[in-house]
Amino acid sequence: MGDPYEEIIDYAETAGVDMIVMGTHGRSGLDRFLLGSVTEKVVRTADAPVLTVRLSGDT
């Protein structure tokens, strides 16, 4: 329970992970602003490096 990005960061710190890997939806501009982005919040606030992977349009 809680904010997803905070839970991800808390888990990463507790588990001592070396890197966080997260997918993106490829949203940009206004869509990203209006919908928010868990990945973006993790990238901006995590102490561990974050690798983002853009999901293909086939999924």
Side-chain angles (χ1 to χ4, degrees):
M1 297 190 63
D3 288 324
Y5 83 95
E6 290 177 344
E7 294 298 318
I8 292 167
I9 291 170
D10 288 346
Y11 176 80
E13 290 173 356
T14 302
V17 301
D18 295 322
M19 178 181 286
I20 302 168
V21 180
M22 299 186 70
T24 68
H25 290 289
R27 291 188 183 107
S28 62
L30 190 56
D31 283 344
R32 185 179 68 191
F33 177 74
L34 292 176
L35 297 174
S37 172
V38 172
T39 301
E40 183 176 359
K41 289 177 183 175
V42 171
V43 166
R44 293 183 186 275
T45 59
D47 290 332
V50 180
L51 173 66
T52 60
V53 180
R54 186 171 186 173
L55 300 175
S56 69
D58 297 337
T59 58

